[in-house]
Amino acid sequence: MDMQATIESATTAVNPTKVAIMDAAEKAILKNGYKAMSFRDLAAEVGIKSASVHYHFPTKANLVTAVMQRYKEEFAKRLILPKKKKSAAQKALNKFIDGFKETVVDQDNLSLCTVLSAEKNLLEPATIEELNEFYQLKLDWLGTVVSYMRKDWMTTEEVHNYASRILASLHGASVLVKATGNPDMFNQATVHWRDLIKHLDS
Amino acid sequence: MDMQATIESATTAVNPTKVAIMDAAEKAILKNGYKAMSFRDLAAEVGIKSASVHYHFPTKANLVTAVMQRYKEEFAKRLILPKKKKSAAQKALNKFIDGFKETVVDQDNLSLCTVLSAEKNLLEPATIEELNEFYQLKLDWLGTVVSYMRKDWMTTEEVHNYASRILASLHGASVLVKATGNPDMFNQATVHWRDLIKHLDS
DNA sequence: AGTTATGTATCAACTGATAGGTAAACAATA
DNA sequence: TATTGTTTACCTATCAGTTGATACATAACT
């Protein structure tokens, strides 16, 4: 029987073909969306036949879930919590914004989550669950980092609001860039955070 | 020969079937994305056959362009410029945010532009042009309104940044709501504007 | 008579998925 | 060691369903 691709990925040894398929799938989704991604196109990119893709990922739902799960895990791996110190938190948050810009905006993409959110009704519960976990991960991290930046105590509501604001800014800015085709739009929509990060401790 | 559906819509008398098709198309795109929208489904919703949909809109590209154009025009119609007065501008901006929440977030949708942006590579230049114009419309309006709210002079850069920030906030917040399934997320990510609108004149 | 708005019928292309074959790698055992 | 069985990873071939689009017939209104 098949193992659940959605469960094994973190522990099992990597399979080169499987990884190549997931790479191609992620790329395809970012380019044209989930619905437009086809097994045959992925197979062609990897250099195998579409039936072989089904061997590794029985269904499309299975594949997109695996891709989303990997996306989440890779992100979590790079998302280390800074020291509970103002300057470290400031640095970490600046780096978070830089990372978003480099991996998403600079490549004229939206984030995988934004794309999948737009096609959420086509996804299965398992995929949606990965989506939720990914955002919760980001929001929790942002909340913690923001709280580290302030010497005074913040209510949980205040912390949540800051985290949501920052994440919304970044995602929205990437949509603006994509829609208008103007890369400057990202900085226009987010530079204020750079200043605010410096003065958020007050 | 066929008239260009992309040109006539503003001036020509409304055609009930055509309108019904566009309504169905807009709904379908918001629900599942552009790629997943099919002529047969639209036809079924309107109560005609798919060939008849092609009679009104020769190609899918033609249809989506018409839908996007109407979306833009309808939006422009409701987007009246307030008086050059602080209180009027404040009121207008609050209403803009309310409108976005009601028409997008409260219906568990993303905006049509966000969805189409995610599938931008599948669109034809004419459709993308509509997308651009729509955002320019919003950004220009926001910039003007923001400048009305400040008694001191703002650089054009400052104005642009404010407009981009606000628009990014709203769009990003709608993505957060959709992705997490948590409607509160919109207020979390945007309440600060309500306060800021009151004190933006300083 | 011509235009408008539908319908029927059909096409070629593409889709996700399955059945079943094949060869190589690996494992177990005589 | 040699042989056999099993698993892994591909393949070919094919299916049924969906897609955008077209050709052509039809009826109603102008």
Side-chain angles (χ1 to χ4, degrees):
Chain A
M1 287 297 121
D2 275 304
M3 274 187 293
Q4 284 281 73
T6 52
I7 293 172
E8 63 174 328
S9 76
T11 49
T12 310
V14 283
N15 176 325
T17 307
K18 214 161 176 172
V19 169
I21 293 170
M22 289 170 75
D23 289 345
E26 187 175 318
K27 204 170 124 189
I29 294 172
L30 288 174
K31 193 177 178 198
N32 292 326
Y34 170 67
K35 176 77 183 188
M37 173 192 78
S38 90
F39 275 69
R40 277 168 183 82
D41 289 346
L42 299 183
E45 172 126 353
V46 173
I48 56 179
K49 297 293 171 179
S50 80
S52 303
V53 179
H54 279 283
Y55 171 76
H56 294 282
F57 301 96
T59 66
K60 205 179 173 183
N62 191 302
L63 173 56
V64 70
T65 304
V67 168
M68 189 61 223
Q69 191 193 18
R70 184 183 67 166
Y71 196 72
K72 182 193 74 183
E73 286 170 358
E74 287 299 313
F75 187 82
K77 217 181 286 174
R78 287 194 307 273
L79 204 67
I80 44 161
L81 212 56
K83 285 183 193 150
K84 196 167 178 172
K85 201 183 146 196
K86 192 184 113 182
S87 65
Q90 286 174 327
K91 208 172 158 183
L93 186 47
N94 270 315
K95 234 181 155 181
F96 181 87
I97 298 176
D98 292 340
F100 190 90
K101 180 172 184 296
E102 285 159 22
T103 62
V104 178
V105 183
D106 288 351
Q107 323 207 15
D108 195 36
N109 284 331
L110 301 183
S111 89
L112 188 58
C113 322
T114 306
V115 176
L116 291 182
S117 292
E119 294 173 291
K120 191 187 178 190
N121 296 336
L122 301 176
L123 305 178
E124 293 200 345
T127 320
I128 294 173
E129 179 58 25
E130 290 297 330
L131 212 63
N132 286 338
E133 286 174 19
F134 184 74
Y135 273 102
Q136 211 48 61
L137 197 74
K138 285 184 156 182
L139 288 170
D140 288 348
W141 185 87
L142 282 169
T144 306
V145 168
V146 165
S147 72
Y148 286 0
M149 291 170 60
R150 297 262 296 235
K151 44 190 174 210
D152 61 339
W153 187 80
M154 293 172 85
T155 64
T156 50
E157 195 196 357
E158 231 181 326
V159 170
H160 285 164
N161 286 5
Y162 260 113
S164 303
R165 277 175 63 185
I166 296 170
L167 204 53
S169 273
L170 299 182
H171 281 77
S174 73
V175 172
L176 288 195
V177 169
K178 184 85 178 183
T180 64
N182 178 8
D184 295 339
M185 207 65 88
F186 184 79
N187 283 329
Q188 286 181 32
T190 60
V191 277
H192 73 106
W193 287 114
R194 307 296 189 175
D195 287 328
L196 202 60
I197 286 170
K198 287 187 207 148
H199 307 107
L200 202 63
D201 57 331
S202 65
Chain B
M1 286 295 124
D2 276 304
M3 274 188 291
Q4 284 282 73
T6 52
I7 294 172
E8 62 172 329
S9 76
T11 48
T12 309
V14 284
N15 176 326
T17 306
K18 215 161 177 173
V19 170
I21 293 169
M22 290 170 74
D23 289 344
E26 187 176 318
K27 204 170 126 189
I29 295 171
L30 289 174
K31 191 177 179 195
N32 293 326
Y34 170 66
K35 175 78 181 185
M37 173 191 79
S38 90
F39 275 69
R40 278 169 183 81
D41 289 347
L42 299 183
E45 172 127 351
V46 174
I48 56 178
K49 298 292 170 179
S50 81
S52 302
V53 178
H54 278 282
Y55 171 77
H56 294 282
F57 301 97
T59 67
K60 205 178 172 182
N62 190 301
L63 173 55
V64 69
T65 305
V67 168
M68 188 62 222
Q69 191 193 18
R70 185 185 65 166
Y71 197 72
K72 182 193 75 183
E73 286 170 356
E74 287 298 313
F75 187 83
K77 217 181 287 174
R78 285 195 307 272
L79 206 67
I80 45 160
L81 212 56
K83 284 182 192 150
K84 196 168 179 171
K85 202 184 148 196
K86 192 185 113 184
S87 65
Q90 286 174 325
K91 207 171 158 183
L93 186 46
N94 269 315
K95 234 182 154 179
F96 181 86
I97 298 175
D98 292 340
F100 190 88
K101 180 172 183 294
E102 284 159 22
T103 62
V104 177
V105 184
D106 288 351
Q107 323 208 13
D108 196 34
N109 284 330
L110 301 182
S111 89
L112 188 60
C113 322
T114 306
V115 176
L116 291 182
S117 292
E119 295 173 289
K120 190 186 176 189
N121 296 337
L122 302 176
L123 303 178
E124 295 199 344
T127 319
I128 295 173
E129 178 58 25
E130 291 296 331
L131 212 61
N132 287 338
E133 286 174 19
F134 183 73
Y135 274 102
Q136 213 47 60
L137 196 73
K138 283 183 159 187
L139 288 169
D140 289 347
W141 185 87
L142 282 168
T144 306
V145 169
V146 165
S147 73
Y148 285 2
M149 290 170 60
R150 298 261 297 232
K151 45 191 173 212
D152 59 339
W153 188 79
M154 294 172 84
T155 64
T156 50
E157 197 196 358
E158 231 181 327
V159 170
H160 285 165
N161 286 5
Y162 260 113
S164 303
R165 277 175 64 186
I166 296 171
L167 204 52
S169 273
L170 299 183
H171 281 77
S174 74
V175 173
L176 289 195
V177 169
K178 184 85 177 183
T180 63
N182 178 6
D184 294 340
M185 209 66 89
F186 185 79
N187 282 329
Q188 287 182 32
T190 59
V191 277
H192 72 107
W193 286 115
R194 306 296 189 173
D195 287 329
L196 201 61
I197 286 170
K198 286 189 207 148
H199 308 107
L200 201 66
D201 57 330
S202 67

XYZ file of all heavy atoms in Angstrom, chain A residues 153-160:
71
model
N 4.303 46.298 28.237
C 3.450 45.134 28.046
C 2.379 45.422 26.994
O 1.824 46.509 26.924
C 2.811 44.766 29.387
C 2.042 43.485 29.317
C 2.551 42.234 29.358
C 0.627 43.355 29.215
N 1.527 41.321 29.275
C 0.345 41.970 29.187
C -0.435 44.269 29.135
C -0.951 41.474 29.076
C -1.729 43.773 29.023
C -1.981 42.390 29.004
N 2.112 44.432 26.154
C 1.059 44.594 25.153
C -0.056 43.586 25.419
O 0.210 42.451 25.801
C 1.608 44.324 23.753
C 2.619 45.331 23.261
S 3.368 44.790 21.699
C 2.190 45.382 20.506
N -1.276 44.001 25.181
C -2.375 43.043 25.284
C -2.246 42.035 24.154
O -1.640 42.321 23.115
C -3.742 43.740 25.151
O -3.829 44.310 23.836
C -3.897 44.831 26.196
N -2.813 40.860 24.328
C -2.766 39.858 23.250
C -3.472 40.393 22.010
O -3.085 40.085 20.887
C -3.427 38.540 23.683
O -4.711 38.818 24.235
C -2.559 37.799 24.682
N -4.493 41.191 22.251
C -5.203 41.763 21.105
C -4.273 42.663 20.300
O -4.229 42.581 19.075
C -6.418 42.558 21.593
C -7.409 42.869 20.474
C -8.390 43.962 20.864
O -8.336 44.441 22.014
O -9.195 44.352 19.990
N -3.539 43.482 21.017
C -2.602 44.390 20.365
C -1.556 43.606 19.570
O -1.215 43.938 18.433
C -1.910 45.250 21.433
C -1.944 46.740 21.168
C -1.203 47.508 22.275
O -1.242 47.074 23.439
O -0.571 48.535 21.948
N -1.071 42.530 20.184
C -0.072 41.686 19.532
C -0.642 41.052 18.262
O -0.029 41.077 17.200
C 0.417 40.581 20.505
C 1.271 39.564 19.765
C 1.195 41.188 21.651
N -1.838 40.499 18.391
C -2.497 39.889 17.225
C -2.700 40.903 16.108
O -2.495 40.601 14.938
C -3.854 39.311 17.648
C -3.738 38.036 18.412
N -4.770 37.514 19.155
C -2.714 37.162 18.553
C -4.379 36.379 19.719
N -3.139 36.158 19.372
